[in-house]
């Protein structure tokens, strides 16, 4: 029993002859349906989703973590009534975990059965050559659909129902996986060398996401509708938080949005995401906060800041974000040096640094450069900064810290 040579033809014919009703009437319909599902899509994003549904092209979403890329795929599946299939990418991933693998347990069991029946298969063979041919015909069954274990990419193609395929954080996988994806993205088909080519009966709606930890190939981008997502502006972020029914009054939510945006301007290893801002709003509502004081924000800052160094910087900055003229209570500082020293704040050094490359906006812009992260981006042991020093403190940062103390030689925080 060998492979069915007509399978690909049948699948291809099914794709060309089946005309499914488009899921969206127009761009406004995308916005309305996504909003009803709790996802506030702007005009640019809604236009891209609408074009995907009409042009039958995948979407590639690039941007920092936590801006709604993965959630878009989940919402797309919800509003279109499709099943969501997800391939979570990781370093070292190969095609066997993305496309398919062989069920070796079943193959081994079949080998034992064949061993018992082999004498019956060849008992009436007239020649040795005929016996070998009969055994060879049985061996072909080992690499048939009977023993094929599909993974998300192949499952999306073979599905009898329309699906949304999410290829999440494709930039974390090796470039070899990109090559595997090209055939699927261009032709909605995948090839299994031992069997043949599978062509989708129902073209999946494909969404790829990337956190920009490395540059993706031009071949992959060429096959997709590309969209860069960033953190929304303050009114849009407030609208998103209000839509999630966090329980936080609107006046406090407005203030919280500004504080979160201020934290994003700091030199943090990981800036607070939209989903983390929503969690912070819910946390403050559960605690019954009727005012966003520096103390309650510092006590709950770990909801949006996930690394110790970032937490120290956030707690130091929160009082100034709440009130630029506020006196900073000593117990809110995450470092141990004495703030009671008498260095002169009247010198000409500009503490805002808004005019040079070390300002918050400049650092934020630098983080948005493609391929800026090394292998240690996700916190691997022994991670080093761009300056080549452990802990992520560059020589420039050290010198600026000493300058703020007027050359007193006290330890920087």
């Amino acid at each position: 029993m060998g492979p069915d040579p007509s399978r690909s033809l049948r699948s291809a014919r099914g794709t060309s002859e089946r005309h499914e009703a488009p899921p969206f009437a127009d761009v406004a319909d995308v916005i309305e349906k996504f909003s009803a599902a709790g996802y506030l899509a702007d005009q640019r994003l809604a236009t891209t989703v609408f074009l995907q549904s009409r042009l039958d092209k995948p979407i590639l979403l690039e941007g920092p973590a936590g801006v709604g890329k993965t959630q878009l795929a989940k919402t797309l599946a919800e509003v279109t009534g499709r099943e969501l299939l997800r391939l979570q990418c990781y370093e070292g991933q190969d095609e066997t975990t993305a496309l398919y693998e062989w069920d070796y347990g079943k193959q081994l069991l079949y080998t034992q059965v064949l061993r018992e029946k082999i004498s019956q298969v060849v008992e009436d063979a007239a020649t040795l050559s005929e016996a070998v041919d009969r055994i060879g015909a049985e061996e072909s069954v080992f690499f048939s659909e009977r023993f094929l274990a599909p993974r998300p990419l192949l499952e999306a193609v073979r599905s009898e129902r329309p699906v949304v395929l999410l290829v999440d954080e494709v930039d974390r996988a090796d470039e070899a996986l990109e090559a595997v994806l090209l055939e699927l993205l261009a032709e909605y088909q995948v090839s299994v060398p031992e069997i043949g080519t599978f062509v989708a009966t129902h073209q999946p709606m494909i969404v790829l996401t990337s956190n920009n930890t490395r540059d993706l190939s031009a071949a992959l981008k060429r096959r997709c509708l590309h969209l860069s997502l960033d953190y929304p502006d303050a009114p849009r972020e407030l609208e998103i938080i209000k839509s999630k029914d966090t329980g936080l009054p609107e006046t406090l939510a407005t203030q919280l949005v500004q504080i979160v945006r201020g934290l994003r301007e700091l030199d943090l290893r990981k800036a607070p995401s939209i989903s983390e801002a929503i969690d912070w709003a819910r946390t403050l509502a559960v605690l019954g906060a009727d005012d966003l004081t520096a103390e309650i924000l510092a006590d709950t800052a770990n909801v949006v800041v996930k690394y110790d160094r970032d937490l120290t910087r956030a707690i130091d900055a929160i009082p100034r974000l709440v009130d630029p003229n506020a006196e900073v209570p000593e117990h809110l500082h995450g470092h141990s040096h004495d703030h009671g020293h008498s260095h002169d704040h009247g010198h000409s050094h500009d503490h805002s640094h808004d005019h040079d490359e070390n300002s918050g906006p400049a650092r934020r812009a630098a983080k948005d450069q493609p391929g800026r992260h090394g292998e240690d981006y996700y916190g691997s042991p022994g991670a080093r900064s761009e300056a080549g020093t452990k802990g992520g403190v560059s020589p420039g940062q050290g010198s600026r810290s000493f300058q703020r103390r007027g050359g007193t030689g006290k330890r920087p925080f």
Side-chain angles (χ1 to χ4, degrees):
M1 181 174 116
D4 182 358
S6 65
R7 175 176 178 86
S8 295
L9 294 177
R10 290 201 307 269
S11 298
R13 187 179 302 117
T15 301
S16 61
E17 293 179 355
R18 191 184 304 273
H19 298 284
E20 299 174 1
F24 305 109
D26 50 29
V27 174
D29 189 35
V30 176
I31 296 176
E32 181 180 350
K33 288 181 177 178
F34 270 57
S35 178
Y39 191 103
L40 301 183
D42 59 21
Q43 188 75 15
R44 190 166 59 103
L45 180 57
T47 299
T48 304
V49 172
F50 175 71
L51 292 175
Q52 178 195 33
S53 68
R54 294 303 179 93
L55 300 178
D56 293 326
K57 291 181 70 69
I59 294 178
L60 171 60
L61 302 174
E62 292 190 288
V67 294
K69 303 186 298 294
T70 300
Q71 187 59 43
L72 181 139
K74 294 179 180 179
T75 304
L76 181 61
E78 180 181 346
V79 301
T80 59
R82 292 178 172 228
E83 179 185 0
L84 177 67
L85 298 178
R86 179 173 181 171
L87 174 65
Q88 181 63 53
C89 299
Y90 55 87
E91 185 178 355
Q93 190 173 32
D94 57 21
E95 66 178 25
T96 60
T97 56
L99 273 173
Y100 67 92
E101 63 180 355
W102 296 106
D103 192 333
Y104 297 114
K106 281 186 178 180
Q107 288 177 328
L108 181 60
L109 179 61
Y110 191 86
T111 300
Q112 296 173 346
V113 173
L114 182 61
R115 185 181 296 118
E116 297 172 359
K117 300 294 183 181
I118 193 68
S119 59
Q120 299 177 15
V121 172
V122 301
E123 63 180 359
D124 59 342
T127 63
L128 178 59
S129 177
E130 183 181 352
V132 171
D133 289 340
R134 290 185 182 183
I135 295 175
E138 296 295 332
E139 288 178 347
S140 65
V141 180
F142 284 106
F143 295 99
S144 66
E145 291 188 55
R146 184 195 307 270
F147 301 107
L148 190 64
R151 292 294 177 252
L153 300 186
L154 180 57
E155 190 176 352
V157 169
R158 297 180 67 197
S159 176
E160 296 297 329
R161 299 178 56 221
V163 301
V164 171
L165 173 63
L166 168 62
V167 183
D168 210 11
E169 297 184 324
V170 66
D171 54 319
R172 294 187 64 182
D174 296 340
E175 294 181 359
L177 182 61
E178 288 188 41
V180 174
L181 287 170
L182 295 182
E183 181 183 15
L184 173 63
L185 298 179
E187 306 293 339
Y188 292 100
Q189 67 181 37
V190 295
S191 297
V192 179
E194 298 87 349
I195 297 179
T197 300
F198 294 90
V199 182
T201 302
H202 302 275
Q203 288 189 5
M205 301 182 78
I206 303 177
V207 177
L208 300 93
T209 73
S210 168
N211 291 338
N212 277 340
T213 59
R214 69 171 177 85
D215 293 333
L216 302 177
S217 69
L220 185 142
K221 289 190 173 185
R222 187 173 64 248
R223 288 163 169 79
C224 302
L225 297 172
H226 181 265
L227 183 63
S228 293
L229 294 183
D230 204 345
Y231 298 109
D233 58 24
R236 169 66 66 169
E237 189 160 12
L238 176 60
E239 190 177 355
I240 293 172
I241 291 177
K242 288 166 55 180
S243 72
K244 299 303 180 181
D245 296 325
T246 62
L248 194 67
E250 183 174 349
T251 54
L252 298 187
T254 302
Q255 185 181 1
L256 183 66
V257 166
Q258 296 302 327
I259 291 170
V260 170
R261 294 175 68 81
L263 292 178
R264 290 181 185 142
E265 294 297 323
L266 302 178
D267 183 20
L268 302 181
R269 181 175 177 182
K270 180 188 177 300
S273 68
I274 299 174
S275 59
E276 288 165 339
I278 294 170
D279 290 339
W280 205 4
R282 287 181 174 142
T283 299
L284 295 169
V286 168
L287 294 176
D290 53 12
D291 187 20
L292 297 190
T293 64
E295 290 185 325
I296 193 170
L297 291 172
D299 289 341
T300 56
N302 59 305
V303 175
V304 293
V305 181
K306 307 300 184 181
Y307 296 94
D308 288 343
R309 188 197 71 171
D310 290 356
L311 186 60
T312 299
R313 295 185 177 186
I315 291 176
D316 280 344
I318 282 174
R320 295 190 296 274
L321 295 174
V322 174
D323 180 2
N325 300 317
E327 292 290 335
V328 181
E330 182 67 26
H331 70 277
L332 288 182
H333 290 292
H335 48 81
S336 60
H337 73 274
D338 183 13
H339 280 266
H341 53 73
S342 59
H343 68 280
D344 182 13
H345 283 276
H347 55 69
S348 61
H349 184 72
D350 184 4
H351 283 269
S352 67
H353 298 288
D354 289 338
H355 63 286
D356 62 15
E357 70 275 11
N358 297 309
S359 65
R363 288 195 297 266
R364 182 67 247 168
K367 291 182 180 180
D368 289 338
Q369 296 302 318
R372 65 196 179 282
H373 297 297
E375 296 179 354
D376 56 348
Y377 177 71
Y378 288 91
S380 59
R384 293 181 178 268
S385 68
E386 292 180 359
T389 59
K390 283 205 170 188
V393 181
S394 67
Q397 291 171 317
S399 64
R400 290 195 300 275
S401 296
F402 279 101
Q403 289 169 4
R404 292 193 180 101
R405 284 153 184 78
T408 61
K410 292 187 178 182
R411 290 182 59 196
F413 60 91

